[in-house]
Amino acid sequence: MTGGAVPDPFAGHPDWALDPPRSIVPTPANMSGQLRGRRVIIGLPGHGWRADLRADEKVVQGSRTYVPVMVESEWYRAEAEQTEVFAPLVPIERVWVEEFGMAGFSTDQGITSRLVSLDEPPRKVPTAALDAGTITGRRVVELLEDGDERRDLRAVTELHTNDVGDICARVAGELDWYRWAWSGKAPKTLEVPVHLLWAE
């Protein structure tokens, strides 16, 4: 598109009032049930956090409980190719599970709204793709017209105008996204209108 004004992504949606996707609320792993395949965050309060990880079931060794944790790309590859991968054992008290919280808008965009406690991993509140800056490679959520959410997606393009003038981005399922890295096979993608797309 050259020269004209950018089309309004909300045109034709005067009563558009879908709730935003639910936020991600880290919960201590010892308060969660089954862990296999769950997204987890590991770390140490006051030190730092690591995300984009997946867990396997808890392991008890002596009097200690551990969680096997692997990077998400290895999890998907192991599941897709039915192979075993190395998963370091992390003490359960250093593992948090990504649970879904309540949907809600973040109203304050000042610096104080971004300050967090170092006692636990921060919550993640989804941001409308239109306001999220660069989205290629980020986890995204597609809101369906009935208000349901489609997750486990990655953006494969930035926002752009399609052939009919709608603002959208192309997304892929996470398995296809990671397979693209280990096999070179381009993922199947889906075009999602900007008013239905949120970045995590």
Side-chain angles (χ1 to χ4, degrees):
M1 180 174 178
T2 57
V6 175
D8 181 355
F10 302 107
H13 300 280
D15 298 321
W16 185 71
L18 289 175
D19 286 334
R22 294 167 291 168
S23 60
I24 302 294
V25 180
T27 303
N30 58 10
M31 296 174 63
S32 294
Q34 299 288 320
L35 293 181
R36 180 169 168 71
R38 304 284 302 276
R39 276 201 170 103
V40 294
I41 300 165
I42 62 171
L44 204 54
H47 186 73
W49 312 107
R50 170 113 194 239
D52 288 331
L53 303 168
R54 295 277 180 154
D56 208 337
E57 282 309 324
K58 303 167 192 167
V59 173
V60 177
Q61 292 183 350
S63 62
R64 303 277 320 259
T65 302
Y66 298 90
V67 179
V69 174
M70 66 202 80
V71 294
E72 199 165 54
S73 59
E74 287 296 305
W75 164 261
Y76 276 110
R77 188 170 190 172
E79 290 294 302
E81 298 182 353
Q82 294 299 297
T83 59
E84 298 212 7
V85 297
F86 175 72
L89 298 178
V90 180
I92 195 167
E93 62 272 11
R94 295 186 183 182
V95 180
W96 283 258
V97 178
E98 291 191 6
E99 303 274 7
F100 295 125
M102 300 293 292
F105 289 98
S106 177
T107 54
D108 182 5
Q109 298 300 316
I111 185 65
T112 56
S113 70
R114 296 179 54 206
L115 298 178
V116 297
S117 166
L118 294 182
D119 293 337
E120 61 185 13
R123 294 174 179 236
K124 289 184 186 175
V125 178
T127 303
L130 204 56
D131 301 322
T134 302
I135 62 170
T136 301
R138 288 179 65 178
R139 286 166 45 179
V140 291
V141 181
E142 177 189 5
L143 280 182
L144 304 178
E145 297 287 355
D146 63 3
D148 282 346
E149 303 167 1
R150 182 177 295 144
R151 291 186 180 254
D152 294 334
L153 300 171
R154 294 277 177 160
V156 297
T157 70
E158 294 300 317
L159 296 177
H160 59 277
T161 306
N162 67 11
D163 294 341
V164 295
D166 296 329
I167 297 175
C168 59
R170 296 201 75 82
V171 304
E174 273 192 332
L175 172 58
D176 284 344
W177 167 258
Y178 285 116
R179 183 181 283 127
W180 194 8
W182 81 68
S183 74
K185 181 181 176 184
K188 295 177 185 175
T189 62
L190 173 70
E191 188 176 271
V192 178
V194 67
H195 72 279
L196 299 176
L197 191 64
W198 295 71
E200 286 190 315

